[in-house]
Amino acid sequence: MGKVGIGLNLEAVRTSHKSFEWGVEFAADLGYEYIEPMVHWGRELLSEARYFHSVSMLDDPFRVRDMVEKHGLKLSALSSHSQASKPEIAVEYLKQAARFAKEAGAPIINTHEGHKQPWTTMEEDFVLIRYSLMEALKVCERRDIKIGFEMHQTYSLKPDLYDRCLNLVDSLNLGANFDTGNAYLGGEDPHEWIERIKDRVIHVHAKDISVEQSDAERGKVMGTAVGCACGEGVIDWKRIVKTCQSVPQDIVLSVECGTLDQAERSIEHLRSVISETEPVAV
């Protein structure tokens, strides 16, 4: 069976106005094994001034690799969300993310289909998404980089249509970045859904949803930026972890929470769950 690791999506430091470097050190100090940084195109004030955690893909990928290695961490993935239904954005964005990931040392780049345009049909959207993924995968496959397609928007939050997204391109480098919180808020049971597609899962956004957010938004929104601390919401982490432990591939639970203290409480809870559910060697 594969290993289940615990990582931190650096969105946890966004509201603290901290830099990428600060976020890496913070994750290491808490005992996380992996991090998932966000990357972006171009240059902008906040990340250049070190008030924001995202890293420009015009920067040197070794900046990411060296900082991660310095603190004894590994990259689980890059948060490289583009709009796959908008090829004018997604194609070059994902191709550049794949090249950046290879040098930085990340095995996966995460993305989703993007916001639905009012003037396209569903069939047209799937052609556009397929085009973006096909072009990006040509670059990914040569570099052994995988694309983690996340449930986030109009189509991917419906299990049957999400399956269709995952099957648009026949490639072993296309898999599921399963987001527990987005699946739940979309109105599905994330525990049953991840069990259904567990063989396709290559990365997990460990996002818990508070009872308050559930009552206010479930079935009304298409995903959410971050959740509450893992273990303090509606997600049954024992069920999620057991499913991840039942597959041959290694999977990282990349915590998506909104604050520094939530990041601390999340790793404590997930460590406890993994310790309790880990198969005993015989």
Side-chain angles (χ1 to χ4, degrees):
M1 293 297 123
K3 174 189 173 186
V4 177
I6 307 175
L8 182 65
N9 185 303
L10 291 190
E11 282 289 292
V13 309
R14 173 170 55 88
T15 55
S16 300
H17 308 295
K18 300 296 185 181
S19 68
F20 163 74
E21 284 78 8
W22 191 96
V24 174
E25 186 172 358
F26 170 74
D29 287 345
L30 288 183
Y32 280 94
E33 185 180 359
Y34 297 87
I35 61 164
E36 180 186 356
M38 185 171 80
V39 292
H40 64 270
W41 256 352
R43 301 285 189 177
E44 49 79 32
L45 171 62
L46 292 179
S47 62
E48 292 302 314
R50 303 296 195 258
Y51 296 134
F52 192 59
H53 63 91
S54 187
V55 176
S56 172
M57 289 189 287
L58 295 180
D59 213 328
D60 187 348
F62 284 6
R63 171 191 170 194
V64 174
R65 189 194 70 177
D66 292 348
M67 193 66 187
V68 168
E69 290 179 352
K70 175 183 176 181
H71 290 281
L73 299 173
K74 290 174 279 189
L75 295 171
S76 67
L78 295 183
S79 178
S80 53
H81 285 277
S82 60
Q83 307 278 316
S85 60
K86 297 181 179 179
E88 74 276 15
I89 300 173
V91 171
E92 294 305 324
Y93 190 107
L94 291 173
K95 285 162 64 175
Q96 187 169 355
R99 294 189 292 266
F100 194 94
K102 184 62 177 180
E103 287 202 64
I108 297 167
I109 56 175
N110 288 325
T111 192
H112 66 286
E113 80 269 35
H115 295 87
K116 175 80 179 77
Q117 297 304 301
W119 49 268
T120 56
T121 66
M122 181 174 73
E123 292 308 314
E124 288 171 337
D125 286 335
F126 275 104
V127 171
L128 295 171
I129 296 167
R130 181 176 183 271
Y131 180 86
S132 296
L133 292 176
M134 178 68 80
E135 286 294 310
L137 283 162
K138 290 177 183 178
V139 176
C140 289
E141 288 171 346
R142 296 190 66 183
R143 291 163 175 80
D144 197 27
I145 301 295
K146 294 183 178 181
I147 292 179
F149 199 87
E150 181 176 342
M151 61 276 297
H152 221 307
Q153 297 293 332
T154 305
Y155 305 119
S156 57
L157 284 172
K158 299 177 174 62
D160 289 343
L161 292 179
Y162 184 62
D163 287 348
R164 184 175 176 183
C165 292
L166 293 179
N167 293 322
L168 284 172
V169 181
D170 183 14
S171 173
L172 295 176
N173 291 65
L174 177 61
N177 177 44
F178 194 92
D179 189 302
T180 54
N182 289 349
Y184 177 86
L185 286 177
E188 303 296 328
D189 184 328
H191 314 94
E192 294 179 0
W193 192 354
I194 194 173
E195 179 68 28
R196 166 182 162 173
I197 64 165
K198 62 184 181 181
D199 292 335
R200 299 297 303 272
V201 175
I202 58 175
H203 194 260
V204 170
H205 276 171
K207 183 187 292 177
D208 214 336
I209 302 297
S210 69
V211 173
E212 293 78 12
Q213 185 177 7
S214 172
D215 290 344
E217 296 185 348
R218 192 174 192 205
K220 303 175 184 177
V221 300
M222 291 188 293
T224 188
V226 292
C228 63
C230 293
E232 298 180 3
V234 298
I235 303 299
D236 184 341
W237 290 106
K238 287 186 178 180
R239 289 183 66 184
I240 297 295
V241 168
K242 283 182 178 179
T243 296
C244 293
Q245 289 171 335
S246 72
V247 296
Q249 68 268 27
D250 292 345
I251 295 177
V252 174
L253 304 176
S254 183
V255 172
E256 279 200 326
C257 59
T259 65
L260 304 181
D261 61 323
Q262 288 175 356
E264 183 174 3
R265 298 199 300 275
S266 291
I267 189 172
E268 291 173 355
H269 182 74
L270 292 177
R271 274 176 170 168
S272 175
V273 170
I274 290 174
S275 176
E276 292 176 8
T277 58
E278 203 161 27
V280 178
V282 294

